[in-house]
Amino acid sequence: ETEVEQLQRLLAGMEKDHRDLLARMESGQAELERLREAEGERAAQQERSSQLEKEVAGLREKIHHLDDMLKSQQRKVRQMIEQLQNSKSVIQAKDTAIQELKERVSYLEAENLEMHDRIEHLIEKQVSRGGSSARARSKSEYVSRCGGNSGIRIRNSGIW
């Protein structure tokens, strides 16, 4: 019986070894499966990482392009503002010149009326005296003789 017992012990040991090996094999397979899943996740993460890097690079390029366009538009706006300010200055200078000319015209018109009144007064004086050799001209004759400019011609604020 010792041989049978020995064989039974051996068989029991072999069954135990079989169970241990089977457990180790299942554990190894489970670990291998986890590693494969982790590797797959890593590959997916690397793929996603690569995709995101490309997307970020594209966005950087778009941002750079938009920055350039923005700077260009800002330059254009500054130039337009400068042109507008220059135009306003020119218009203001022209308005000032126009106002000065209007004042000058008003002054000359007043001077013209004064001279017209003086001439009319002198004509009336000549008519009332009876004139010696030349007959007195009427106001209408004087106006037509001088070109219809109310009897007075003005040049450079002087009268001639």
Side-chain angles (χ1 to χ4, degrees):
E1 275 186 52
T2 57
E3 212 175 287
V4 171
E5 286 178 358
Q6 224 178 8
L7 282 175
Q8 283 180 341
R9 259 186 286 145
L10 187 60
L11 187 61
M14 289 172 94
E15 284 177 358
K16 183 181 179 285
D17 285 344
H18 180 265
R19 282 190 308 270
D20 288 347
L21 289 174
L22 197 58
R24 280 178 57 194
M25 182 191 77
E26 287 174 358
S27 173
Q29 281 182 335
E31 181 69 22
L32 181 61
E33 190 61 33
R34 278 194 308 270
L35 287 174
R36 284 182 181 156
E37 286 176 14
E39 187 176 308
E41 288 174 9
R42 242 188 328 266
Q45 287 174 346
Q46 284 178 343
E47 172 98 16
R48 180 70 178 141
S49 176
S50 175
Q51 181 184 7
L52 288 173
E53 284 175 5
K54 289 177 185 176
E55 195 174 315
V56 166
L59 291 173
R60 279 190 183 130
E61 188 175 323
K62 285 182 181 179
I63 288 170
H64 181 71
H65 179 68
L66 288 174
D67 281 345
D68 288 346
M69 287 177 57
L70 181 62
K71 287 176 186 175
S72 174
Q73 291 302 318
Q74 287 172 338
R75 268 192 304 273
K76 286 180 184 178
V77 168
R78 279 194 299 272
Q79 288 173 348
M80 290 174 73
I81 289 170
E82 188 177 321
Q83 287 175 349
L84 183 62
Q85 289 171 339
N86 290 341
S87 295
K88 283 182 180 180
S89 296
V90 167
I91 289 170
Q92 191 174 18
K94 287 185 179 185
D95 284 347
T96 302
I98 289 170
Q99 188 60 36
E100 288 173 0
L101 289 171
K102 283 181 178 179
E103 291 171 7
R104 181 83 175 136
V105 166
S106 294
Y107 172 78
L108 292 174
E109 284 175 345
E111 211 173 68
N112 189 18
L113 284 174
E114 183 183 338
M115 294 305 287
H116 178 67
D117 289 346
R118 284 185 186 172
I119 289 173
E120 194 174 284
H121 178 69
L122 288 174
I123 290 173
E124 286 174 5
K125 258 185 168 179
Q126 282 183 349
V127 168
S128 65
R129 274 195 236 157
S132 53
S133 62
R135 72 174 182 85
R137 291 193 175 107
S138 71
K139 182 178 167 188
S140 61
E141 288 176 316
Y142 189 81
V143 168
S144 64
R145 183 176 155 263
C146 293
N149 195 12
S150 300
I152 304 294
R153 291 189 185 168
I154 301 170
R155 180 175 185 232
N156 292 338
S157 79
I159 299 178
W160 47 273

